[in-house]
Amino acid sequence: MSQATAEFGDLVTPPTNADSNNSSSNCRKRSLSTTQPKSIIEIRISNETSNNNNNNNNNKRANKEIDAKADNVETMHMEQQQGDIIELSIEEQKLDNEHRNSCATFLQHLPCFKLPQSDTATPIPNCRECRRRTAAAYANTSNTNNSSSSNGNDIYCRFYEFRRLQYNTQGELIVAGFPNPYKEPSSEDYSIWQPDAKTAPTAGYMDIQVCRYILLHAGDQFCYLWRQEVEALKLHENPDETIAWKKAVQGIREICDVCDTTLFNYHWTCNKCGFGVCIDCYKDRKQGLQNKRRVETERGQDEYHWLLCTDEDQQQHTLSNLMLTQIIAGGALNVLGRLMHEARALWQVPQVCGCLLSKQQVGEQHKQQTQLIEDMIKESQLKQHTSASSLATAQKVQQQQRLEQLHAKKLEFAREHHIDYVPGRVWTKETLGKDPITSAFDNFKHIDFLRKGLAGLRRFLPPLAMTLARSTQLAPGVPHEWLCDGKLLRLTDPMHPDNRVLYQEVWKVGQPVMISEVARSLNLSLWHPQAFCEDFGDKPNDLINCLNGNLVPNQPMRHFWEGFQCIHKRLLDANGKPMLLKLKDWPPGDDFAEILPTRFADLMRGLPMPEYTLRTGNLNIASCLPKMFVPPDLGPKMYNAYGSALHPDKGTTNLHLDISDAVNIMVYVGIPTDEDSKPQLAATQRAIALGGCDYITRARCQSPDVLPGALWHIFPARDADKIRDLLNRVTLEKGFRLEPDHDPIHDQNWYLDDKLRARLLKEYGVEGYPIVQCQGDAVFIPAGAPHQVQNLHNCIKVAEDFVSPENITHCYHLTHEFRRLSHSHTNHEDKLQIKNIIYHAIKDCCTILMRALEERIDLE
C-alpha cells in the first residue's frame, strides 16, 4: 500500500479450539489460510490507493506502468525483442496479405509489436503500451484466447484502429498518416454520436415530459461542454492544423496521461508514442499552471510532470508537436449543440446557459408548430400519472387499470339510463395549471442561483423549507412528514406512485431525502449477518479498526460476522479490548452481482424511486450511455460495521463527498446479545441528542418498535468550500502544514464532532441535516454533498449510485476537482465519464422529441 506505515503491535484474538502455531511473520505474508492466526498486524492506512488496487481492466491504459522504467534496461530489452518473430493467427495473416496485395491504406488492426518490420524502410514506432509488452507474454495470452484477431490485448495498443498504414510497392509497411474525422467515419460511426431517424435511443422508452425535464437540468451543462470543445481549437499550437480522428473502440475508455480524466472528444496525441493529454491539462501547461502544482518531478517526466516520449531520444512532449485529435465522428457535436437549443426553444424549456443560441426566438418555419407542441405538452402532463407514462410504477399501472374498469362500468350504466357521462381524469387540457418545466425558474427570477465553478456555472437553487399543509396540496394522499425544520422530506410509503412529485421538489434544490419502510420489499433473511457468515465466513478480507483507522489485513470474514452478534467473539487489540471493525471494500469493485446474485436481484426489486435508482431508470441518465462504452461503476456497494455510539467522536465513515448521487438502504440493525445492552442504548440516545436531531426524530427513536442504526450528517453542496476552509484552519491551528494536491474532504481524514459542527455553524453559518437511519430507511445523498456516518448499532447498509439530471452540474464540477488531486489519491481517476453521459442523454432526448413531433405532424 502506497504511503503506508506499519504499526506492528500484536493483537490478541478470541480463543479457539484450532491449534494455531502461525508466527506473526507468517501473518505479514497475508496468507489465505482460514485458520485463525495467533497475532494480527494493524497497518495505518491513508487515502492513497494501493499499488495493486487496479480494477480497471477495461481501460486501454488502466494498467499503465510508470514510464520511469523507460531507461537503459528497457531499451536493451526492446532491442532484443525486435528480433523476435511473432506468429500471426490465420485470420490476421489473411487480412495482412490482402492489405499487402492491394497496397491501399488501412487502419492498424494489430498491436505495434506484431507489425512486420523491414530492414530497409523506416521502422514504425511502437506506442508506449506495446513497448511495455514482451512477445512471450503476448504469445501466452493469445494461446489462451485462441489467437483471435480481436483479442482484448490487441486493443490496448494506442494506435489500434487509429494509425493509418500502407504497404508500398516494395512490400514495406509504412505509416500513412491518421484518419480524417469528416471523411473516414461510416454511417455506423455517426449513429453513435448523431441523432437520426433510424437509430433507437440507448435509454429506451422516455416520454415527452421526461425528455423536457432532462433538457431543463442537463442542457445548460451540455452547452458549456460544447463551448469548451470549440475553445480547444483556439488553443492548438501545432503549425500542422490537421485534425486526426480516433475512432471509439468498444470496451475501451480513453484517459488523459496527465490527470487520468476520461477523454471525451478533443485532445492532443503524440504521433510517435500515443501519449494523450486532455483539454484542461493542455490549457494548464499553456498558461504555466501545471508546473506549480507538484513539488517533485518523477523520473521519466519533464518539469511539467508530463511523460517523456518513448521514442529513441525520449524527448519532451511540446505543445507545438502534439497532434489535435477528436473522437466524435465529423461535426456531430455541432449538429447536436444546435439541435438541443432549437429543441429547448420549441418545447418551451427554460435556458439559462447565456449563449447566443439560447436567446434566439423560434423561427418562422416552426411557429405553426407551436400550438401543436403545446397540445403535446399538455397531453404528456396528463399521462404523467397514468399507466401510459414511462415513469409509471407497477402500482400505478394497477390503479389505472382499476380506474378504467370503474369508468367502463359507469359508462355502461350511463348509456342504459341515458345519462351524460364522460370517463376520464379530473384534470383536462383546459383545467391544467402551469407546466412545471416551463415555469421551473419563475420563483427564482430575482435570485442569482448560478455560481462560477471549475467547469462552467454550478446551479444552487435556494434551500427549501416546506410545511405539511403546502406539501399536502402538491401531492395529496402521499404519506410523508418533514424533519429538520421542514428541510428534510421523509416519505413513509416507498411504493406510493406519487412520491416523485415531492421527491423532485426537494431533490432539485440539492437537499437529501429519506424514504422509510423499504425493508417491506426486501427478503431480510438474505441480509442477516448469520447468512453472510454461513456463505462467506471462510473468505478472507481486510478489516478496518474504526477507533484508530488502522488496517487489519486478510482476515477470514467469520471473525467479523460473528462479532456482529457476540462481542466476546470480536478481535481484540493490543490492549485486549474488542476492536470496532468495519469490512473494507466488500464485495470488491463491481462484482456485487457476480458474488451475490440472489441479494442483487432482491435489492433491484426493492429499490425506492426506481426511475432514478435502477440502472435502466429513465431519470438515471447514466442509462443513456451506449453499450459500447465502459459502464461506470455505480454499485451496489455494501457498508458493514459495528456500532460506535460509545465513542461519539469516532465516525464509521469520515466526512467525504461523492461524484454521483446515491441511495443508501439500511437492511439490518442489531445489538450484541451476550452483554447488557442498556449502556449501548443509553449511549445511542445521547449521540442522537448530541447530533442535533429535531424533536420528531428523537421521538421516533425512543419508540420501542424502532432501533436506530446510523447517525448521518449531510451538508449542502454549496457549503463544501466553507467546510474546507474550517478544516484547513483547524489543521494549521494544530501545527500541521497543508499538503499540496490534497483536500480535507476528499482525504476522508475528518469526522466533525459536536464541537466542530458548532464552530462551523457559529463562524460560517453552515448547518447540516442530522438524520437517524433505522432499519428499512433509505437515505438519498445528492452529488457533491459532504456527509459523514456514525453507526449507533451494528449495521449492514447497501448503496446504489445513480446520476440524476438535477445534480449534473455538481458531477461535472467534481470531475474537474478530482483531477487536481495527487495521482495516487483514491478519488483522482475519473470513472464516471460525466461528459459522455451528458452528451448521450441530450442526444437521446433530442431524438425522442424530434421523432414525436414528426409522428404527430404526419398524423395531423
Side-chain angles (χ1 to χ4, degrees):
M1 178 166 295
S2 62
Q3 299 187 3
T5 56
E7 296 181 336
F8 300 114
D10 287 345
L11 307 175
V12 182
T13 60
T16 63
N17 296 328
D19 180 18
S20 59
N21 296 322
N22 298 335
S23 65
S24 60
S25 61
N26 289 335
C27 298
R28 291 170 191 163
K29 296 178 183 178
R30 301 181 67 172
S31 169
L32 296 181
S33 172
T34 57
T35 57
Q36 192 156 354
K38 182 178 180 180
S39 59
I40 302 173
I41 301 171
E42 278 191 273
I43 303 175
R44 180 173 299 162
I45 61 174
S46 70
N47 63 295
E48 305 298 307
T49 55
S50 170
N51 290 335
N52 57 8
N53 183 19
N54 183 4
N55 47 8
N56 293 306
N57 295 326
N58 288 327
N59 298 347
K60 181 178 291 188
R61 297 189 286 280
N63 62 343
K64 65 179 182 181
E65 301 172 8
I66 297 176
D67 282 84
K69 293 182 180 179
D71 51 16
N72 294 333
V73 176
E74 185 196 357
T75 303
M76 293 174 60
H77 175 71
M78 292 304 301
E79 290 176 354
Q80 179 181 0
Q81 184 178 324
Q82 288 179 358
D84 296 337
I85 299 176
I86 303 174
E87 291 187 11
L88 303 182
S89 67
I90 297 176
E91 293 180 2
E92 291 171 341
Q93 189 63 57
K94 181 180 179 181
L95 188 59
D96 187 69
N97 291 337
E98 292 177 0
H99 293 317
R100 187 186 298 268
N101 295 332
S102 66
C103 292
T105 60
F106 60 93
L107 290 179
Q108 181 172 327
H109 62 286
L110 298 172
C112 301
F113 61 83
K114 293 187 74 174
L115 295 174
Q117 299 282 0
S118 173
D119 296 333
T120 58
T122 304
I124 297 176
N126 285 0
C127 74
R128 57 192 322 112
E129 295 297 332
C130 290
R131 290 179 66 89
R132 298 299 184 270
R133 294 177 182 272
T134 63
Y138 182 82
N140 292 335
T141 305
S142 35
N143 286 337
T144 59
N145 289 278
N146 299 323
S147 299
S148 171
S149 61
S150 60
N151 189 306
N153 290 279
D154 291 5
I155 56 178
Y156 286 133
C157 171
R158 301 283 181 108
F159 293 127
Y160 181 84
E161 292 199 11
F162 177 40
R163 184 167 55 186
R164 297 192 66 83
L165 303 175
Q166 182 183 21
Y167 281 102
N168 60 19
T169 54
Q170 288 78 33
E172 299 169 338
L173 190 63
I174 58 175
V175 176
F178 293 86
N180 185 301
Y182 294 92
K183 297 180 180 179
E184 306 288 338
S186 63
S187 58
E188 184 179 350
D189 296 321
Y190 272 108
S191 67
I192 300 172
W193 302 102
Q194 190 166 296
D196 56 42
K198 298 179 181 178
T199 307
T202 307
Y205 176 58
M206 294 193 299
D207 56 30
I208 290 174
Q209 284 296 87
V210 171
C211 292
R212 294 177 69 233
Y213 191 80
I214 293 174
L215 288 178
L216 171 71
H217 292 287
D220 296 324
Q221 194 63 56
F222 172 74
C223 181
Y224 173 81
L225 184 156
W226 182 28
R227 296 202 302 267
Q228 187 186 39
E229 292 292 311
V230 173
E231 291 174 2
L233 298 173
K234 302 176 183 178
L235 297 173
H236 187 47
E237 291 190 2
N238 194 326
D240 183 3
E241 297 182 355
T242 302
I243 302 178
W245 176 53
K246 194 164 195 177
K247 179 180 179 180
V249 179
Q250 183 165 359
I252 297 301
R253 180 166 67 90
E254 298 285 349
I255 60 175
C256 172
D257 280 307
V258 180
C259 70
D260 294 335
T261 302
T262 301
L263 297 176
F264 165 63
N265 183 37
Y266 282 131
H267 61 285
W268 283 263
T269 309
C270 174
N271 59 7
K272 295 181 180 179
C273 70
F275 170 84
V277 61
C278 69
I279 295 176
D280 295 295
C281 291
Y282 190 94
K283 186 177 181 180
D284 285 350
R285 176 159 178 173
K286 190 169 184 176
Q287 297 176 350
L289 300 177
Q290 208 147 12
N291 196 25
K292 302 176 183 178
R293 288 180 53 202
R294 302 180 185 89
V295 179
E296 298 181 0
T297 300
E298 297 181 4
R299 189 177 179 184
Q301 299 178 347
D302 59 18
E303 66 272 19
Y304 291 92
H305 311 282
W306 285 23
L307 300 175
L308 300 178
C309 186
T310 55
D311 62 359
E312 295 180 358
D313 299 331
Q314 293 193 2
Q315 297 179 350
Q316 294 186 11
H317 289 110
T318 59
L319 300 183
S320 59
N321 289 333
L322 294 177
M323 175 176 61
L324 184 60
T325 309
Q326 77 176 60
I327 296 175
I328 295 178
L333 176 60
N334 294 330
V335 171
L336 183 59
R338 290 188 290 269
L339 180 61
M340 183 206 66
H341 286 86
E342 180 181 317
R344 292 208 293 179
L346 274 174
W347 291 90
Q348 303 176 15
V349 178
Q351 307 186 67
V352 293
C353 55
C355 72
L356 293 177
L357 288 176
S358 67
K359 300 174 183 178
Q360 291 182 357
Q361 300 297 322
V362 177
E364 291 293 334
Q365 68 275 20
H366 296 300
K367 281 193 175 179
Q368 64 269 26
Q369 301 172 358
T370 303
Q371 186 59 48
L372 189 62
I373 289 176
E374 287 181 358
D375 287 343
M376 295 175 68
I377 290 174
K378 289 181 178 180
E379 290 169 5
S380 66
Q381 282 183 262
L382 293 175
K383 287 182 180 178
Q384 276 286 302
H385 302 293
T386 71
S387 57
S389 172
S390 65
L391 297 175
T393 62
Q395 184 177 352
K396 174 58 71 177
V397 172
Q398 292 176 359
Q399 284 185 356
Q400 187 65 18
Q401 290 174 349
R402 289 197 299 269
L403 188 63
E404 290 171 356
Q405 291 173 0
L406 181 63
H407 285 322
K409 292 180 180 179
K410 288 183 177 180
L411 181 59
E412 184 179 354
F413 177 84
R415 284 175 178 173
E416 289 178 358
H417 296 82
H418 306 286
I419 300 174
D420 291 333
Y421 173 73
V422 180
R425 293 175 55 83
V426 175
W427 296 106
T428 64
K429 292 183 186 179
E430 290 72 25
T431 59
L432 272 173
K434 283 186 177 180
D435 173 35
I437 295 176
T438 304
S439 59
F441 301 129
D442 286 357
N443 296 331
F444 311 119
K445 287 182 177 179
H446 304 293
I447 301 174
D448 185 11
F449 55 86
L450 299 176
R451 184 190 301 177
K452 188 175 181 180
L454 294 174
L457 298 174
R458 300 181 70 181
R459 186 183 296 175
F460 291 108
L461 295 178
L464 176 72
M466 189 77 79
T467 62
L468 193 61
R470 182 166 178 262
S471 59
T472 303
Q473 290 179 344
L474 288 175
V478 176
H480 68 284
E481 64 180 358
W482 293 95
L483 309 176
C484 299
D485 299 324
K487 296 178 182 178
L488 176 66
L489 171 65
R490 176 178 173 242
L491 297 165
T492 54
D493 181 0
M495 302 308 294
H496 196 284
D498 292 334
N499 279 343
R500 183 174 51 86
V501 177
L502 291 180
Y503 175 88
Q504 288 184 338
E505 196 71 20
V506 174
W507 192 250
K508 69 182 181 183
V509 299
Q511 294 174 192
V513 177
M514 183 164 69
I515 301 181
S516 298
E517 304 297 335
V518 176
R520 291 187 305 181
S521 304
L522 301 174
N523 181 1
L524 293 182
S525 63
L526 293 173
W527 306 97
H528 196 278
Q530 186 61 35
F532 285 106
C533 187
E534 293 173 358
D535 295 343
F536 305 100
D538 296 331
K539 302 291 184 181
N541 202 78
D542 293 343
L543 307 174
I544 293 179
N545 187 353
C546 296
L547 293 178
N548 52 24
N550 290 350
L551 184 76
V552 184
N554 215 51
Q555 294 300 303
M557 283 190 283
R558 184 178 307 279
H559 298 335
F560 173 79
W561 292 116
E562 288 178 344
F564 244 77
Q565 298 173 291
C566 184
I567 292 181
H568 291 94
K569 292 186 178 181
R570 292 184 179 180
L571 298 177
L572 307 179
D573 62 16
N575 298 320
K577 296 182 178 180
M579 285 192 282
L580 196 66
L581 296 174
K582 70 176 178 180
L583 198 57
K584 184 178 185 295
D585 300 332
W586 186 85
D590 54 354
D591 297 333
F592 192 104
E594 182 178 341
I595 297 177
L596 308 170
T598 305
R599 293 174 174 88
F600 175 80
D602 186 58
L603 178 66
M604 292 300 106
R605 285 191 298 267
L607 279 176
M609 301 301 300
E611 58 267 41
Y612 279 93
T613 55
L614 283 179
R615 297 181 180 186
T616 56
N618 290 329
L619 289 170
N620 180 5
I621 62 173
S623 65
C624 298
L625 199 64
K627 300 298 185 287
M628 69 169 298
F629 288 84
V630 178
D633 180 15
L634 297 176
K637 299 178 180 68
M638 287 188 68
Y639 299 90
N640 314 291
Y642 298 159
S644 57
L646 294 171
H647 308 276
D649 59 336
K650 300 294 183 182
T652 308
T653 303
N654 286 341
L655 186 74
H656 69 288
L657 54 81
D658 296 318
I659 196 172
S660 60
D661 307 295
V663 56
N664 187 294
I665 304 174
M666 181 76 71
V667 294
Y668 173 83
V669 180
I671 302 178
T673 57
D674 60 336
E675 286 193 359
D676 185 11
S677 61
K678 290 183 180 179
Q680 178 76 15
L681 293 173
T684 296
Q685 296 301 326
R686 285 196 302 271
I688 292 173
L690 202 62
C693 298
D694 60 7
Y695 172 78
I696 298 177
T697 299
R698 295 198 303 271
R700 181 194 180 204
C701 294
Q702 290 173 357
S703 171
D705 300 331
V706 176
L707 187 60
L711 174 64
W712 291 67
H713 287 96
I714 304 177
F715 300 89
R718 67 173 65 86
D719 295 328
D721 288 337
K722 295 179 181 179
I723 297 174
R724 283 190 183 91
D725 190 58
L726 172 65
L727 297 180
N728 285 334
R729 285 175 55 192
V730 173
T731 300
L732 295 174
E733 290 169 2
K734 291 184 176 181
F736 298 101
R737 65 185 181 92
L738 301 179
E739 296 291 335
D741 296 336
H742 283 263
D743 183 281
I745 297 180
H746 299 319
D747 291 349
Q748 301 185 32
N749 292 330
W750 290 89
Y751 181 81
L752 303 184
D753 57 16
D754 59 316
K755 295 179 181 178
L756 283 175
R757 293 196 302 272
R759 184 173 174 182
L760 186 64
L761 178 60
K762 181 179 179 181
E763 299 180 15
Y764 294 88
V766 174
E767 186 175 16
Y769 305 91
I771 303 172
V772 176
Q773 185 185 23
C774 306
Q775 181 166 314
D777 287 347
V779 178
F780 286 77
I781 309 101
H787 57 282
Q788 61 184 23
V789 187
Q790 180 191 17
N791 280 13
L792 303 174
H793 294 304
N794 304 333
C795 297
I796 299 176
K797 300 190 286 287
V798 188
E800 175 79 1
D801 295 344
F802 59 97
V803 182
S804 66
E806 294 93 336
N807 294 317
I808 203 68
T809 61
H810 304 313
C811 298
Y812 198 96
H813 171 86
L814 289 171
T815 297
H816 286 259
E817 196 172 277
F818 286 171
R819 63 177 288 272
R820 296 173 180 266
L821 300 174
S822 66
H823 277 270
S824 55
H825 201 287
T826 54
N827 286 333
H828 175 69
E829 187 179 346
D830 167 33
K831 299 177 182 179
L832 191 59
Q833 311 172 60
I834 192 60
K835 290 184 179 180
N836 280 326
I837 290 175
I838 293 174
Y839 182 95
H840 291 285
I842 297 297
K843 183 196 71 174
D844 281 358
C845 291
C846 290
T847 301
I848 291 169
L849 293 177
M850 179 178 65
R851 291 181 184 176
L853 182 58
E854 290 174 354
E855 291 173 1
R856 185 60 175 264
I857 292 174
D858 292 340
L859 288 175
E860 294 289 329

